[in-house]
Amino acid sequence: MDDSVVRVSNLCKSYYSGATPVHVLSHIEMTVRRGECLFLAGPSGSGKTTLLSILGCVLSADSGSIQILGENVTEFSSQEQARFRRERIGFVFQRYHLFDALTAEENVCVPLTLLKRPKRGSLVKAHELLELVGLKDKATRRVTQLSMGQRQRVALARALAGEPELILADEPTASLDAESGLAAMDVLKNLCSSLGKTVIVVTHDSRIFPMADRILHLSKGQLANRGTLEVSG
């Protein structure tokens, strides 16, 4: 039985600087198993965020095959990509991308509104998720009144609101201090594990490497290490 959630074969992506192609990803091969917490590590400019954006159906690859949750997303139109992204993938961003004018619960309800879920049921769901991330008592506060670590937890609750099977996190600890970063990543991993979610995290934060089930290292657009990286210190 195939338990893969993501299966990538021979993925390539280039940008152009004038007439000159800049190869960002070259012949990527990777598989992510159901329930796995996989990290994509590597220096800035190695292609991590580009790869995550392709997996999230935000960007399209130039070539290669990409199977996500049993769907061949390389054959999707832009409208189909948007639908798939909205209904089956949750995103956690480095800068949170929360709406400052809204409360924590209202921010969590945003993807449910896009999915045209009833407002009352959406608020109930938002409260349940905020309780799961330890922010039950902050539901009615505007996000500008929350700490950076608390905002990241709101972002996680929002990512889980539509009950996606795959969670993609782009540098989720980069804007946090060491203690808050470790706490946020701990919530992300444990909550997604308890809910049976598959998680892919882009990071260069070595402090959180021990939380990965497996780490793939990108270097100059190629996977340089297919095993778990050793972390010294």
Side-chain angles (χ1 to χ4, degrees), residues 1 25 27 30 44 66 106 135 198 201 203 210-211 214 219:
M1 180 178 174
L25 296 170
H27 307 292
M30 63 181 286
S44 296
I66 308 166
E106 289 169 341
L135 293 178
T198 302
V201 179
T203 186
M211 295 184 178
R214 187 163 54 102
S219 178

Side-chain angles (χ1 to χ4, degrees), residues 113-148:
T113 300
L114 294 174
L115 291 169
K116 299 181 179 180
R117 304 284 175 82
K119 183 176 180 179
R120 183 176 181 82
S122 295
L123 283 172
V124 171
K125 182 70 173 179
H127 282 207
E128 292 173 352
L129 288 168
L130 288 170
E131 182 173 6
L132 285 175
V133 299
L135 293 178
K136 180 182 179 180
D137 60 335
K138 303 290 193 298
T140 58
R141 291 194 183 183
R142 289 190 177 184
V143 292
T144 51
Q145 298 175 295
L146 303 179
S147 70
M148 293 298 184

